[in-house]
Amino acid sequence: MSLDTLENNLRLRLKGDVRRREPMARHTTYRIGGPAELFITCDTMTDLIEAASLCDAEGVERITVGKGSNLLVSDAGYPGAIITLGNEFKAHRVQGAEIEAGAACILAFLVRDAYSRGLGGMEFAVGIPGTVGGAIAMNAGTGDDWIGAVVSSVTVYVPGVGLQRLRPHELAWEYRSSGLPPGAIVVETTVQLQEADRESIRKTMDASLERRKRTQPIGAPSAGSVFRNPPGDSAGRLIESAGLKGTRLGGARISEVHANFIVNEGGATAADVLGLVRKAQLTVRDTHGIQLTPEIQLLGAFE
Ligand SMILES: Cc1cc2nc3c(=O)[nH]c(=O)nc-3n(C[C@H](O)[C@H](O)[C@H](O)COP(=O)(O)OP(=O)(O)OC[C@H]3O[C@@H](n4cnc5c(N)ncnc54)[C@H](O)[C@@H]3O)c2cc1C
């Protein structure tokens, strides 16, 4: 079956939107990325099951993404299907101190809602863009706290297996990784919070936002920290002390504000960003003997 036939079948069977050769620059915070051959919005669980099984039956590579705030998509685009979750996956429900949120729920919404109900535990996530699904996949957080620590269950859809409700101990939470089963698509998550004083939640969040404003290039398109911090050190410190702050390639620059951010100053390509990623890796390895590992997820073909 050709991609055209797959596209037609998806259009016939899905409630959600199906697009062909959709520029990924529209779906990433970097505002970079060539076209995805297919860009599928699954509005319901039935859509998701149909989309995954149609792609798999045709051997078309697929990946699920959230808001693209941790992605660097190749200038050549993505040769398969990008699946994103829509309407039904945006819902959230509160029961006591537990909040159940669909994977497409915006993380910032969850943070705000917890605060407004006087529920503490999500303060660490203030200022982190993206969806609940992306946060689970990345175990998003700060140096000290991450989402895995407040999760009481994660529901995943594993194509060919079905829906699974996983308890936190069934996942391998680590710094910026949750050890999801291979191919698992997060569809829902429950976080267990505690009643807390709203004023103290607000103070913690304000302090955290203030720190971000002071130390990060807020406003410039980026995907947040480019590299994971190596144990006991900070990638930003290593890059800065290797003399790379402000280094520019095409439209991309190693931020003057925080050396672990590479920002798109206008018209940057994925190749520009990757060129700076490689330069930082080589220079830090030569200067400090440390191999930096990217935290951003690369999608599509890179040379
Ligand atoms: C300005 C800025 C600041 C940031 N600060 C932080 C920070 O402090 N801490 C931090 O941890 N991160 C930070 N990030 C990075 C990013 O926001 C997080 O990693 C975020 O959790 C990604 O969510 P997303 O929905 O955008 O996921 P995407 O970027 O769309 O995807 C990220 C990964 O998750 C996978 N994924 C997404 N949804 C699903 C799903 N439903 N099921 C299975 N896999 C899925 C994707 O395949 C991909 O591998 C920052 C980014 C920016 C731009």
Side-chain angles (χ1 to χ4, degrees):
M1 191 196 288
S2 69
L3 279 165
D4 290 338
T5 318
L6 175 58
E7 178 190 0
N8 288 337
N9 285 346
L10 286 162
R11 284 187 197 284
L12 284 174
R13 309 258 286 262
L14 267 54
K15 281 205 171 80
D17 191 37
V18 178
R19 297 186 193 181
R20 193 67 192 277
R21 295 197 57 78
E22 172 72 2
M24 285 304 290
R26 292 186 187 152
H27 303 279
T28 61
T29 52
Y30 253 135
R31 299 186 201 147
I32 290 174
E37 277 304 331
L38 286 162
F39 188 89
I40 308 166
T41 305
C42 294
D43 276 338
T44 64
M45 194 60 219
T46 312
D47 271 7
L48 180 59
I49 294 168
E50 288 276 10
S53 68
L54 281 170
C55 291
D56 292 355
E58 295 314 319
V60 171
E61 192 185 334
R62 60 168 168 78
I63 185 164
T64 307
V65 307
K67 285 289 172 192
S69 64
N70 206 34
L71 299 181
L72 180 65
V73 182
S74 160
D75 299 313
Y78 183 71
I82 299 269
I83 293 180
T84 189
L85 303 178
N87 290 340
E88 199 175 89
F89 301 95
K90 290 181 182 165
H92 92 300
R93 202 155 51 100
V94 186
Q95 277 182 308
E98 263 197 347
I99 305 185
E100 202 175 81
C105 182
I106 297 299
L107 188 65
F109 176 77
L110 195 59
V111 173
R112 258 199 322 272
D113 193 49
Y115 158 66
S116 69
R117 293 171 190 275
L119 295 175
M122 289 301 298
E123 298 87 313
F124 72 90
V126 71
I128 304 181
T131 61
V132 165
I136 294 295
M138 294 306 302
N139 193 13
T142 61
D144 306 315
D145 296 298
W146 54 43
I147 195 159
V150 292
V151 158
S152 52
S153 75
V154 176
T155 305
V156 294
Y157 172 63
V158 185
V161 178
L163 279 172
Q164 292 182 331
R165 188 161 200 237
L166 303 171
R167 295 289 163 194
H169 67 269
E170 293 176 277
L171 291 162
W173 303 99
E174 283 175 22
Y175 172 63
R176 299 299 174 270
S177 134
S178 56
L180 286 171
I185 299 168
V186 178
V187 294
E188 193 178 81
T189 293
T190 307
V191 290
Q192 177 69 57
L193 306 174
Q194 330 86 35
E195 284 183 15
D197 173 46
R198 286 186 65 210
E199 188 55 20
S200 85
I201 297 176
R202 195 181 57 76
K203 277 193 182 147
T204 308
M205 296 202 306
D206 284 353
S208 174
L209 283 175
E210 184 48 43
R211 197 167 46 248
R212 275 183 192 272
K213 274 192 202 142
R214 231 181 328 107
T215 59
Q216 297 181 3
I218 306 291
S222 80
S225 295
V226 171
F227 297 103
R228 292 155 185 256
N229 286 323
D233 213 329
S234 122
R237 187 198 74 78
L238 293 165
I239 298 166
E240 182 172 352
S241 71
L244 292 175
K245 231 179 181 181
T247 304
R248 194 185 162 108
L249 185 62
R253 188 191 289 273
I254 296 180
S255 168
E256 297 275 9
V257 184
H258 192 313
N260 198 18
F261 280 60
I262 295 176
V263 294
N264 176 0
E265 293 198 316
T269 62
D272 293 340
V273 175
L274 192 67
L276 289 177
V277 167
R278 299 249 157 91
K279 186 172 179 74
Q281 283 179 312
L282 286 176
T283 314
V284 166
R285 194 192 61 196
D286 292 349
T287 317
H288 299 289
I290 292 175
Q291 183 65 38
L292 291 176
T293 310
E295 178 176 322
I296 54 172
Q297 311 283 297
L298 304 188
L299 218 62
F302 286 91
E303 292 189 356

